[in-house]
Amino acid sequence: MSAAATNDDFVQPTSFAFSEANLAEAKKHIAKYPKGRQASAVMPLLWLAQYQEGWVSRVAMDVIAEMLEMAPIRVYEVATFYTMYNLKPVGKHLVQICRTTPCWLRGSDGLTEMCKKKLGVDLHGTSADGKFTIMEVECLGACVNAPMVQINDDFYEDLTPETLAKVLDELAAGRQPKIGPQVDRLNSAPEGGMTTLKDVAKGAGQ
Ligand code: FES
């Protein structure tokens, strides 16, 4: 893939509106809180806006502030504090590379380097074709399958630079790669199959 720069050159949109379905969902979140406490719904509403647009624009935060009767600055404070909110556009596939200790010990640096080289970007950059944005994140809770990455909603685990490169190739070609472990194991079971309790009948003890 050809080289790309960062994706810092972008224009903030001038309008934002939740889709009908997301507006209904937003109202459900707001209804969970007593009158006067609507601000408690700020995080799920930011998340819904991001899910809809891929990122959270300034105007989306302003719309949310109005819906929740909050000062816009209080919404900006939340959105800029949590790294899960993207404050600039991202590629079609957001590749979040876990770099916390178990993944780091098992080779996450190699995954990051491969992604940078293959996609021609630095961390937080988007490939020239707009398909991929890469970033490093802290533990995603799948340490037993380290090293791993999250791409959009899916985990890809037990990776090497080579197997992650294949996953990226599949996604770039518009195909869905196998989700989960990229080695011969079921979820977090031992590689190659069971090593204990082999003679326990399936379902025994239930
Ligand atoms: S350290 Fe990577 S998933 Fe926990």
Side-chain angles (χ1 to χ4, degrees), residues 98 100 102-103 139-143 148:
C98 175
T100 304
C103 282
C139 182
L140 290 168
C143 326
M148 57 79 65

Side-chain angles (χ1 to χ4, degrees), residues 22-71:
N22 284 340
L23 184 60
E25 194 65 24
K27 285 181 181 167
K28 274 193 221 164
H29 285 296
I30 295 168
K32 290 176 188 166
Y33 302 100
K35 199 165 167 40
R37 302 283 180 188
Q38 300 92 324
S40 300
V42 65
M43 289 189 70
L45 263 60
L46 284 167
W47 186 249
L48 272 176
Q50 175 160 298
Y51 217 79
Q52 179 175 306
E53 306 290 315
W55 65 296
V56 184
S57 63
R58 173 82 173 259
V59 69
M61 290 188 258
D62 292 341
V63 167
I64 289 169
E66 202 174 325
M67 285 172 75
L68 300 180
E69 295 174 34
M70 295 170 73

Side-chain angles (χ1 to χ4, degrees), residues 4 6 17 19 25 27 34-35 49 70 129 157 170 172 174 196 198 203:
T6 66
S19 66
E25 194 65 24
K27 285 181 181 167
K35 199 165 167 40
M70 295 170 73
D129 58 10
E157 305 160 331
E170 288 293 293
T196 59
K198 287 177 166 176

Side-chain angles (χ1 to χ4, degrees), residues 133-201:
T133 298
I134 60 168
M135 61 177 65
E136 286 186 331
V137 296
E138 304 306 335
C139 182
L140 290 168
C143 326
V144 73
N145 294 82
M148 57 79 65
V149 306
Q150 179 175 347
I151 304 180
N152 293 352
D153 290 338
D154 299 318
F155 279 11
Y156 297 88
E157 305 160 331
D158 299 304
L159 292 162
T160 62
E162 293 73 29
T163 53
L164 178 55
K166 278 189 200 151
V167 167
L168 299 183
D169 285 340
E170 288 293 293
L171 291 171
R175 294 187 290 267
Q176 175 58 59
K178 174 181 174 273
I179 295 165
Q182 302 298 306
V183 295
D184 176 26
R185 78 194 291 201
L186 176 65
N187 303 327
S188 55
E191 196 168 345
M194 291 171 73
T195 57
T196 59
L197 303 174
K198 287 177 166 176
D199 49 1
V200 176

Side-chain angles (χ1 to χ4, degrees), residues 11-16 59:
V11 178
Q12 287 281 352
T14 53
S15 65
F16 169 82
V59 69

